[in-house]
Amino acid sequence: MEEVVFNTVSSPFVRRFLKRLQNTAVKNNLWKDKDRFIVAVSGGPDSLCLLDVFFLLSQKHGFTIEIAHVNYGLRGKDSDQDEKLVKDRAKAYGFPISILRPQKTSANNLEEKLRDIRYRFFEDLRMKKMFDHIAIAHNEDDQVETFFLRLFRGSGLSGLQAMHPKRDHIIRPLLQTNRKDILQYLGERGLSYRIDQSNSDTKFFRNRIRTELLPFLKKNYQPKIEKRIAATAELLAEDYRFIEAACKEKKQLKKNKDGSFSRSQLILLPLAELRYVLRDAIRPFLDGKNPDRKSTRLNSSHEWIS
């Protein structure tokens, strides 16, 4: 079993890292003392950094921690080695761990299916154990990659806005932390991690954004492209929250007896507001997912486009 190093918290960089993360937590009201967390841990650097941070903070704030790991078995022995590392780290910290080994799924929309599997597992575990939060290790680099991924797919304001540090029971404490700092944190804490080799496979669009597009933009256009895009996504999130609040403050549309809306009411709304109303109306029927672009695709005459 790997020995976890505990004697480097005195490192100035580690102290600054923890302070910055706690400031993010306070700003976004991510937690309070004695809260209970499911921490999603894959075995990669981001999630193992998050786990170590929670280990340190739990001693100060009295947190209760349980680790959740999903072994999809898609990478054979590598997947099993990921699981072993996470189990060893759980034992070193003294945290309980729950592991899901789902049946293999088809290759169609694989990334989305795997996401659905793990988030359903995390939420089922949270409800079963009556925990407060699910902690996910998304960071600033993920934020930037997601922005471009959605931009190229054709997304509106809702899709281009930044991921939220807190939404329902999911928290993302590392969103304002970049991967470079995460790797330095792990180095100064003496902690190893696993690398998923598929993260460099350019047949995946996100990987091409990470390994080809962003380095090109950084070299030829904007050396601080990640910071600029992350800031833009934050601004868009603020704008979208304003639109949401403005729409909710308006008089609610009257529904027909069968729960539908009158077309005569809807057609009077500005197109942007109508799209928001439609998104809000169909969201409860999408099993926790956000409506995609096709769900509310309208033309200037407020007619659905098939």
Side-chain angles (χ1 to χ4, degrees), residues 1-4 81-94 97:
M1 184 183 71
E2 179 189 19
E3 180 180 357
V4 178
Q81 288 298 312
D82 293 348
E83 179 182 322
K84 182 180 183 302
L85 176 59
V86 177
K87 288 167 70 175
D88 286 348
R89 203 62 58 83
K91 186 173 182 180
Y93 291 134
I97 181 171

Side-chain angles (χ1 to χ4, degrees), residues 173-264:
L174 295 178
L175 266 186
Q176 296 179 337
T177 304
N178 61 45
R179 192 163 287 121
K180 179 182 177 182
D181 284 353
I182 287 171
L183 293 176
Q184 182 174 345
Y185 175 95
L186 291 168
E188 300 209 12
R189 287 284 287 156
L191 298 171
S192 62
Y193 50 87
R194 299 274 301 165
I195 295 294
D196 184 346
Q197 296 303 319
S198 67
N199 286 340
S200 59
D201 187 344
T202 54
K203 73 179 180 183
F204 297 109
F205 191 29
R206 180 183 287 272
N207 293 347
R208 295 204 299 276
I209 291 172
R210 180 190 307 122
T211 62
E212 297 174 2
L213 177 64
L214 286 172
F216 176 81
L217 293 175
K218 182 181 291 188
K219 179 181 178 181
N220 295 286
Y221 290 93
Q222 173 52 260
K224 297 181 179 180
I225 186 67
E226 291 94 342
K227 291 291 183 185
R228 296 291 187 267
I229 295 299
T232 297
E234 287 288 344
L235 291 172
L236 294 178
E238 292 175 10
D239 290 346
Y240 191 70
R241 283 194 291 269
F242 173 79
I243 292 172
E244 282 187 307
C247 288
K248 287 179 179 178
E249 285 179 3
K250 289 193 173 185
K251 185 178 180 181
Q252 294 294 312
L253 294 174
K254 294 181 180 180
K255 292 185 178 181
N256 299 322
K257 291 183 179 180
D258 62 359
S260 64
F261 293 108
S262 167
R263 186 176 184 278
S264 61

Side-chain angles (χ1 to χ4, degrees), residues 161-174:
Q161 65 171 319
M163 288 185 281
H164 296 270
K166 183 176 185 177
R167 170 157 288 187
D168 298 326
H169 296 288
I170 293 176
I171 62 170
R172 298 179 174 92
L174 295 178

Side-chain angles (χ1 to χ4, degrees), residues 13-62:
F13 176 83
V14 170
R15 290 202 305 271
R16 290 195 302 271
F17 188 99
L18 293 171
K19 180 65 175 177
R20 187 167 70 244
L21 187 141
Q22 290 181 89
N23 288 341
T24 297
V26 170
K27 177 182 176 181
N28 296 284
N29 191 31
L30 297 189
W31 58 62
K32 59 183 183 300
D33 288 353
K34 309 297 183 182
D35 274 358
R36 298 160 59 83
F37 299 84
I38 299 294
V39 181
V41 183
S42 67
D46 303 339
S47 63
L48 287 174
C49 171
L50 182 64
L51 179 62
D52 189 67
V53 164
F54 269 104
F55 168 75
L56 297 176
L57 294 180
S58 66
Q59 300 173 54
K60 175 181 178 181
H61 297 286

Side-chain angles (χ1 to χ4, degrees), residues 130-143:
M130 299 179 66
F131 275 34
D132 301 298
H133 313 287
I134 300 166
I136 306 293
H138 287 139
N139 58 54
E140 186 177 81
D141 294 62
D142 296 315
Q143 188 88 277

